[in-house]
C-alpha cells in the first residue's frame, strides 16, 4: 500500500472528488484485492480501469498466449506482445499505467483444483472469461466463500452484465443452469466487435468499484443487456431460484 503523498492525491483526485468516495474511499480501493479471470476482450478494459482507479492488488488469470486474432478487441495487448503469455503482457501495461498497485499473475486456467485457493486470496472476482464451465466454477467458489462476482458476456453486437452478491439476490446458477449446446453461436463463429467488449467490461469495472465501496445500486437481481447494433438497452429482473443447485438450499 503506498503512503499518501502529493502524487497519489493528484493521481486519484477525480476519484476522490466523487460523492461517496473521498480520501477514505480511495484508501479502501488501494487496500482492495480483485481477481480478474480472463485477460481478453472483457479483461482488457476491466483491468485497465481497475488499475487506473488504484485497486491495490489485481490478480490476473489466463492460460493463453497473445494471438494476432486477439488484437481486434483485446486492447491491453499489442502487436509486440504476440506469443507472450497474456497475463504477462497485461501486467506490463498495468504496471506502466500505475506502479502503486500490485499485479499478481496466474498463467494457467482456473480449475476445480486451484479455484478455491486462488479466489481465496481476493475479496471480489470479475468474470472476464468466455466459457460456461469457468463461470459455473467461479460462481460455486464465490458463493461458498461469500464473495461477490461480476459477470459479463458479449457476442457479436450484444452484451450483458450482472452482479452476484451471495445472500443478496440470485446467483449465476439460478439463471444459467445448463451449458449452452455445442451448436450455440460463439464469438469465434459469429464474431464480436471490440467496442462491445469495451462497453460491457467498463460496466463490470464500475460495478466492481461500487461493490468495493458499497455505493450506489449494484446490478443485483437484474441483468443489464445492450444491443449496440440497434442501440437498445434493457434490464431484466431475475429472482433467486429456490431449486438452484448452488444457492437454493441456503439463505
Ligand atoms: Zn443460485
Amino acid at each position: 500500500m503506498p503512503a499518501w503523498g502529493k502524487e497519489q492525491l493528484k493521481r486519484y483526485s477525480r476519484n476522490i472528488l466523487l460523492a461517496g468516495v473521498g480520501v477514505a474511499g480511495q484508501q479502501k480501493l488501494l487496500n482492495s484485492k480483485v481477481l480478474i479471470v480472463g485477460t481478453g476482450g472483457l479483461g482488457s478494459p476491466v483491468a485497465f480501469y481497475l488499475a487506473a482507479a488504484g485497486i491495490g492488488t489485481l490478480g490476473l488469470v489466463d492460460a493463453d498466449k497473445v494471438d494476432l486474432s486477439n488484437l481486434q478487441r483485446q486492447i491491453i495487448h499489442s502487436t509486440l506482445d504476440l506469443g507472450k503469455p497474456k497475463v504477462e503482457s497485461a501486467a506490463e501495461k498495468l504496471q506502466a499505467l500505475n506502479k502503486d498497485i500490485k499485479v499478481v499473475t496466474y498463467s494457467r486456467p482456473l480449475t476445480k483444483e486451484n479455484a478455491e485457493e486462488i479466489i481465496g486470496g481476493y475479496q471480489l472476482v470479475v468474470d472476464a472469461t468466455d466459457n460456461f464451465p469457468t463461470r459455473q466454477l467461479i460462481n460455486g467458489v464465490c458463493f461458498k466463500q461469500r464473495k461477490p462476482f461480476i459477470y459479463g458476456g458479449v457476442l457479436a453486437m450484444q452484451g450483458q452484465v450482472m452482479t452476484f452478491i451471495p445472500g443478496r439476490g440470485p446467483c449465476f446458477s439460478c439463471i444459467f443452469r445448463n451449458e449452452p449446446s455445442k451448436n450455440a453461436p460463439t464469438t469465434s463463429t459469429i464474431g464480436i466487435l471490440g467496442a462491445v467488449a469495451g462497453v460491457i467490461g467498463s460496466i463490470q469495472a464500475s460495478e466492481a468499484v461500487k461493490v468495493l465501496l458499497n455505493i450506489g445500486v449494484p446490478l443485483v437481481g437484474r441483468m443489464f443487456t445492450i444491443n449496440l447494433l440497434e442501440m437498445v438497452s434493457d434490464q431484466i429482473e431475475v429472482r433467486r431460484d429456490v431449486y438452484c443447485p448452488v444457492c437454493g438450499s441456503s439463505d
Side-chain angles (χ1 to χ4, degrees), residues 156-228:
M157 294 293 286
Q158 302 183 41
Q160 52 193 31
V161 194
M162 193 163 166
T163 295
F164 299 107
I165 302 179
R168 283 179 65 186
C171 81
F172 178 80
S173 294
C174 288
I175 306 159
F176 303 100
R177 194 63 54 80
N178 302 309
E179 186 159 7
S181 91
K182 296 270 180 276
N183 302 323
T186 66
T187 57
S188 44
T189 57
I190 65 164
I192 163 76
L193 184 74
V196 175
V199 169
I200 297 299
S202 299
I203 296 175
Q204 287 181 285
S206 143
E207 284 291 294
V209 169
K210 282 161 58 185
V211 172
L212 290 170
L213 295 178
N214 198 18
I215 58 170
V217 186
L219 276 169
V220 171
R222 55 199 171 108
M223 173 100 66
F224 173 84
T225 66
I226 187 162
N227 177 331
L228 282 101

Side-chain angles (χ1 to χ4, degrees), residues 170-174 240-241 244 246-248:
C171 81
F172 178 80
S173 294
C174 288
R240 222 181 111 208
D241 178 356
C244 172
V246 176
C247 74

Side-chain angles (χ1 to χ4, degrees), residues 230-245:
E230 309 291 338
M231 211 53 226
V232 176
S233 67
D234 201 359
Q235 292 191 32
I236 303 156
E237 197 186 319
V238 196
R239 299 224 171 112
R240 222 181 111 208
D241 178 356
V242 288
Y243 301 107
C244 172

